[in-house]
Amino acid sequence: MTWLHWRQFRGQALAGALALILATGYLVYVGVDVRDGYEAYRSRCGDGGGGDCARARSQFRSAHENTLLFLAAGLALVPAVLGAFWGAPMVARELENGTHRLVWNQSVTRTRWLLTKVAFVGAAAVLLTGALATLLTWAAAPFDEVVQNRFGALEFGARHLVPFGHAALAVTFGTLVGLLLRRTLPAMAVTLVGFVAFQFFFPNVVRPALMAPETTTLRVTAETINGARSLGGIGGGPVIGGLRLPDAPDAWIAETSPLRTADGEALDGARFNDCLDDPPRTGAGGTFGDTAVCLAGHELHIDVRYHPGSRYGTFQLLETAIYLVLGAALTALGLGRIRRRVS
């Protein structure tokens, strides 16, 4: 049985092995390049680095951020592609061509036939995706240490354990879709679109609800504002984006309130826009310069809901466990379907 599965799967397996070899070479190159940049950053920001640290950090980030985000996005697509090209055709092609009847008329039970297929292809997908994730985690380690954005949607899903769970779930999802649709091309399309949609849904809806966030109130100084990434929302309003907590720079900021005055009321939009568009000229430096000084003069604060960086490992374990449980549930549904309804 295992030999039969290998003969059916060897083409995909060899293609996956070749892709892994090529990706390994590129990821090693990226990892070495990131470490060279990290050493340059440390030489400027080590002992005696002084005020040059902020600029060195910004240059190090801008030099590698786009490449690592592109790689993270690419890794996010790998499980979806494997689910579509490995998982979906695995059963759909057999049912479409009628070759399943030959196997079922032998001594092999339907349950064993399906479980062996899922285990064989699923293990290959997990190994391939896990190897890529491990390499990317290694390559990006110095960057993650400096930038401290491990909870970013793309970054979190492309590091450590979560990609393993993605791969296992994608293959079982594709298998079930192929079993239900019984047509290879439609099953591949539904698997690809459905799993990509799931990868957007889970981090934005489910992940924030896995643990209750902690809360704190942060006094807004010019330094706080200059440490943020944006001021103002899409529809305007006194909000601040990309904030970091001074005492927990690696925390995941789940939610921030609008800028509030000392009495707890939201800062008036007109006053916010005055500081944004035409602040008093002070010659201040930093990302937002005079705007930061102007806003800080209003004695503002914001309420922050956040997850400490120490929860990163817990979130990784919880999310991976959920994917594995969902994959097991989809496999159980497939077994129930194949026993009762597929002829």
Side-chain angles (χ1 to χ4, degrees), residues 7 9-10 25 44 47 104 138 148 158 174 218-219 247 272 280 296 310 320 330 333 342:
R7 286 182 62 85
F9 184 65
R10 60 187 176 183
R44 295 175 58 187
D47 295 336
W104 293 355
W138 168 81
Q148 297 182 334
L218 180 65
R219 180 171 171 263
D247 297 331
F272 176 76
S310 58
T320 304
L330 294 179
L333 288 174
V342 178

Side-chain angles (χ1 to χ4, degrees), residues 53-244:
C53 278
R55 179 175 295 180
R57 179 178 179 273
S58 176
Q59 290 176 347
F60 175 64
R61 179 171 189 162
S62 62
H64 302 288
E65 185 172 35
N66 288 339
T67 298
L68 292 174
L69 283 175
F70 174 80
L71 289 173
L75 182 57
L77 287 176
V78 169
V81 171
L82 295 181
F85 286 87
W86 289 8
M90 183 168 52
V91 174
R93 184 176 290 122
E94 299 261 18
L95 299 177
E96 193 172 21
N97 296 332
T99 54
H100 64 290
R101 296 188 182 94
L102 177 62
V103 179
W104 293 355
N105 286 328
Q106 309 300 317
S107 59
V108 178
T109 64
R110 297 183 182 193
T111 298
R112 181 186 171 192
W113 177 78
L114 182 60
L115 283 178
T116 305
K117 277 183 169 291
V118 171
F120 195 87
V121 177
V126 169
L127 287 174
L128 174 59
T129 306
L132 293 173
T134 301
L135 285 166
L136 181 55
T137 300
W138 168 81
F143 182 85
D144 291 342
E145 178 186 333
V146 174
V147 176
Q148 297 182 334
N149 191 34
R150 297 183 301 168
F151 282 103
L154 282 175
E155 292 86 349
F156 187 89
R159 308 283 197 271
H160 299 100
L161 295 177
V162 166
F164 289 79
H166 277 165
L169 179 58
V171 169
T172 55
F173 176 64
T175 303
L176 181 62
V177 172
L179 182 59
L180 295 175
L181 297 183
R182 305 181 66 165
R183 294 292 184 270
T184 303
L185 291 179
M188 292 173 66
V190 170
T191 299
L192 185 62
V193 174
F195 196 78
V196 169
F198 174 82
Q199 287 178 302
F200 278 100
F201 169 80
F202 196 97
N204 290 292
V205 178
V206 180
R207 186 184 297 160
L210 292 178
M211 298 178 68
E214 297 185 8
T215 60
T216 188
T217 298
L218 180 65
R219 180 171 171 263
V220 177
T221 64
E223 182 180 2
T224 303
I225 296 170
N226 283 323
R229 302 192 69 177
S230 63
L231 286 175
I234 296 177
V239 296
I240 186 170
L243 187 69
R244 295 192 179 277

